[in-house]
Coordinates of all heavy atoms in Angstrom, one line a residue:
P27 N 107.2 79.0 79.3 CA 107.2 77.7 80.1 C 107.6 78.0 81.5 O 108.6 77.4 82.1 CB 108.2 76.9 79.4 CG 109.2 77.8 78.7 CD 108.4 79.0 78.4
I28 N 106.9 78.9 82.3 CA 107.3 79.3 83.6 C 106.8 78.1 84.6 O 106.0 77.3 84.2 CB 106.7 80.6 84.1 CG1 105.2 80.6 84.2 CG2 107.2 81.8 83.3 CD1 104.6 81.8 84.8
R29 N 107.5 78.2 85.8 CA 107.1 77.1 86.8 C 105.6 77.2 87.1 O 105.0 78.3 87.2 CB 107.9 77.4 88.1 CG 109.4 77.0 87.9 CD 110.3 77.7 88.9 NE 109.7 77.6 90.3 CZ 110.1 78.4 91.3 NH1 111.1 79.3 91.1 NH2 109.6 78.3 92.5
D30 N 105.0 76.1 87.3 CA 103.5 76.0 87.5 C 103.1 76.9 88.7 O 102.1 77.6 88.6 CB 103.1 74.6 87.8 CG 103.2 73.7 86.5 OD1 103.2 74.3 85.4 OD2 103.3 72.5 86.6
E31 N 103.9 76.9 89.8 CA 103.5 77.6 91.0 C 103.5 79.1 90.8 O 103.0 79.9 91.6 CB 104.2 77.2 92.2 CG 105.7 77.4 92.2 CD 106.5 76.3 91.6 OE1 106.0 75.6 90.7 OE2 107.7 76.1 92.1
L32 N 104.2 79.6 89.7 CA 104.2 81.0 89.5 C 103.1 81.5 88.6 O 102.8 82.7 88.5 CB 105.5 81.4 88.8 CG 106.8 81.1 89.6 CD1 108.1 81.6 88.8 CD2 106.8 81.8 91.0
R33 N 102.4 80.6 87.9 CA 101.3 80.9 87.0 C 100.1 81.6 87.8 O 99.7 81.2 88.8 CB 100.7 79.7 86.4 CG 101.5 79.3 85.1 CD 100.8 78.2 84.3 NE 101.9 77.6 83.5 CZ 102.4 78.2 82.4 NH1 101.9 79.4 82.0 NH2 103.4 77.6 81.8
G34 N 99.7 82.8 87.2 CA 98.6 83.5 87.8 C 98.9 84.3 89.0 O 98.0 84.9 89.6
Q35 N 100.2 84.3 89.4 CA 100.6 85.1 90.6 C 100.9 86.5 90.3 O 101.2 86.8 89.1 CB 101.8 84.4 91.3 CG 101.5 83.0 91.7 CD 100.7 82.8 92.9 OE1 100.4 83.8 93.6 NE2 100.3 81.6 93.2
S36 N 100.9 87.4 91.3 CA 101.2 88.8 91.0 C 102.6 89.1 91.7 O 102.8 88.6 92.8 CB 100.2 89.8 91.6 OG 98.9 89.3 91.4
P37 N 103.4 90.0 91.1 CA 104.7 90.4 91.8 C 104.4 91.4 92.9 O 103.3 91.9 93.0 CB 105.4 91.0 90.7 CG 104.4 91.5 89.7 CD 103.2 90.6 89.8
Y38 N 105.4 91.5 93.8 CA 105.3 92.6 94.8 C 105.1 93.9 94.1 O 105.8 94.2 93.2 CB 106.6 92.6 95.7 CG 106.6 93.7 96.7 CD1 106.1 93.6 97.9 CD2 107.2 95.0 96.3 CE1 106.1 94.7 98.8 CE2 107.2 96.0 97.2 CZ 106.7 95.9 98.4 OH 106.7 96.9 99.3
G39 N 104.1 94.7 94.6 CA 103.9 96.0 93.8 C 103.3 97.1 94.6 O 102.1 97.4 94.3
A40 N 104.0 97.6 95.6 CA 103.5 98.9 96.2 C 103.5 100.0 95.1 O 104.5 100.1 94.5 CB 104.3 99.3 97.4
P41 N 102.4 100.7 94.9 CA 102.4 101.7 93.8 C 103.5 102.7 94.1 O 103.6 103.2 95.2 CB 101.0 102.3 93.9 CG 100.2 101.4 94.7 CD 101.1 100.6 95.5
Q42 N 104.3 103.1 93.1 CA 105.2 104.2 93.2 C 104.6 105.4 92.4 O 104.9 105.5 91.2 CB 106.6 103.8 92.7 CG 107.3 102.8 93.6 CD 108.8 102.5 93.2 OE1 109.1 102.3 92.1 NE2 109.6 102.6 94.2
L43 N 103.8 106.1 93.1 CA 103.1 107.2 92.4 C 103.7 108.6 92.8 O 104.2 108.7 93.9 CB 101.6 107.2 92.8 CG 100.8 106.0 92.5 CD1 99.3 106.1 93.0 CD2 100.8 105.7 91.0
D44 N 103.6 109.5 91.8 CA 104.1 110.9 92.1 C 103.1 111.7 92.8 O 102.2 112.3 92.1 CB 104.6 111.5 90.8 CG 105.5 112.7 91.1 OD1 105.8 112.9 92.3 OD2 105.7 113.5 90.1
V45 N 103.1 111.7 94.1 CA 102.1 112.3 94.9 C 102.8 113.2 95.9 O 103.9 112.9 96.4 CB 101.2 111.2 95.7 CG1 100.2 111.8 96.7 CG2 100.5 110.4 94.7
P46 N 102.2 114.4 96.3 CA 102.9 115.3 97.2 C 103.3 114.6 98.6 O 104.4 114.8 99.0 CB 101.9 116.4 97.5 CG 100.9 116.4 96.4 CD 100.9 115.0 95.8
V47 N 102.4 113.8 99.2 CA 102.7 113.2 100.5 C 102.7 111.7 100.3 O 101.6 111.1 100.1 CB 101.7 113.7 101.5 CG1 102.0 113.1 102.9 CG2 101.7 115.2 101.6
R48 N 103.9 111.1 100.3 CA 104.0 109.6 100.1 C 104.3 108.9 101.4 O 105.4 109.0 101.9 CB 105.1 109.3 99.1 CG 104.6 109.6 97.7 CD 105.7 109.1 96.7 NE 106.9 109.9 96.8 CZ 108.0 109.6 96.2 NH1 108.1 108.7 95.3 NH2 109.1 110.4 96.4
L49 N 103.3 108.3 102.0 CA 103.4 107.7 103.3 C 103.0 106.2 103.1 O 102.3 105.7 104.0 CB 102.6 108.4 104.3 CG 102.9 109.9 104.5 CD1 101.9 110.5 105.5 CD2 104.3 110.0 105.1
N50 N 103.5 105.5 102.1 CA 103.0 104.2 101.8 C 104.0 103.0 101.9 O 103.6 101.9 101.8 CB 102.3 104.2 100.4 CG 103.3 104.3 99.3 OD1 104.3 105.0 99.4 ND2 103.1 103.6 98.2
T51 N 105.3 103.3 102.0 CA 106.3 102.2 102.0 C 107.2 102.1 103.2 O 108.2 101.5 103.2 CB 107.1 102.1 100.7 OG1 107.6 103.4 100.4 CG2 106.2 101.7 99.5
N52 N 106.8 102.8 104.3 CA 107.5 102.7 105.5 C 109.0 103.2 105.4 O 109.8 102.8 106.2 CB 107.5 101.3 106.1 CG 106.1 100.9 106.5 OD1 105.2 101.8 106.6 ND2 105.9 99.7 106.7
E53 N 109.2 104.1 104.4 CA 110.5 104.7 104.3 C 110.7 105.7 105.4 O 109.8 106.2 105.9 CB 110.7 105.4 102.9 CG 110.8 104.4 101.8 CD 110.3 105.1 100.5 OE1 109.4 106.0 100.6 OE2 110.8 104.8 99.4
N54 N 112.0 106.0 105.7 CA 112.3 107.1 106.6 C 112.2 108.4 105.7 O 112.7 108.5 104.6 CB 113.8 106.8 107.0 CG 114.2 107.8 108.1 OD1 114.0 108.9 108.1 ND2 114.8 107.1 109.1
P55 N 111.5 109.4 106.2 CA 111.2 110.6 105.4 C 112.4 111.5 105.4 O 112.4 112.5 104.6 CB 110.1 111.3 106.1 CG 110.3 110.9 107.6 CD 110.8 109.5 107.6
Y56 N 113.4 111.3 106.3 CA 114.5 112.3 106.3 C 115.6 111.9 105.4 O 116.1 110.8 105.5 CB 115.1 112.4 107.8 CG 114.1 112.9 108.7 CD1 113.4 112.1 109.7 CD2 113.7 114.3 108.7 CE1 112.5 112.6 110.5 CE2 112.8 114.8 109.5 CZ 112.1 114.0 110.4 OH 111.2 114.5 111.3
P57 N 116.0 112.8 104.5 CA 117.2 112.5 103.6 C 118.4 112.4 104.5 O 118.4 112.9 105.6 CB 117.3 113.7 102.7 CG 116.1 114.5 102.9 CD 115.5 114.1 104.2
L58 N 119.4 111.6 104.0 CA 120.6 111.5 104.8 C 121.3 112.9 105.0 O 121.2 113.7 104.2 CB 121.6 110.6 104.1 CG 121.2 109.2 103.8 CD1 122.2 108.4 103.1 CD2 120.8 108.5 105.2
P59 N 121.8 113.1 106.2 CA 122.4 114.4 106.5 C 123.6 114.7 105.6 O 124.3 113.7 105.1 CB 122.9 114.3 108.0 CG 122.9 112.9 108.3 CD 121.9 112.2 107.4
E60 N 123.8 116.0 105.3 CA 124.9 116.3 104.3 C 126.3 115.8 104.7 O 127.1 115.4 103.8 CB 125.0 117.9 104.1 CG 124.0 118.5 103.1 CD 124.0 117.7 101.7 OE1 125.1 117.5 101.2 OE2 122.9 117.4 101.2
A61 N 126.6 115.8 106.0 CA 127.9 115.3 106.4 C 128.1 113.8 106.0 O 129.1 113.4 105.6 CB 128.1 115.5 107.9
L62 N 127.0 113.1 106.1 CA 127.0 111.7 105.8 C 127.1 111.5 104.2 O 127.9 110.7 103.7 CB 125.8 111.0 106.3 CG 125.6 109.5 105.8 CD1 126.8 108.7 106.0 CD2 124.4 108.9 106.6

Side-chain angles (χ1 to χ4, degrees):
I28 64 170
R29 288 159 47 195
D30 288 338
E31 64 269 32
L32 298 180
R33 274 188 203 286
Q35 302 284 351
S36 321
Y38 174 89
Q42 291 191 307
L43 301 177
D44 192 11
V45 173
V47 181
R48 283 186 297 175
L49 301 174
N50 70 326
T51 49
N52 298 344
E53 290 153 331
N54 190 312
Y56 296 107
L58 298 180
E60 275 308 314
L62 171 52

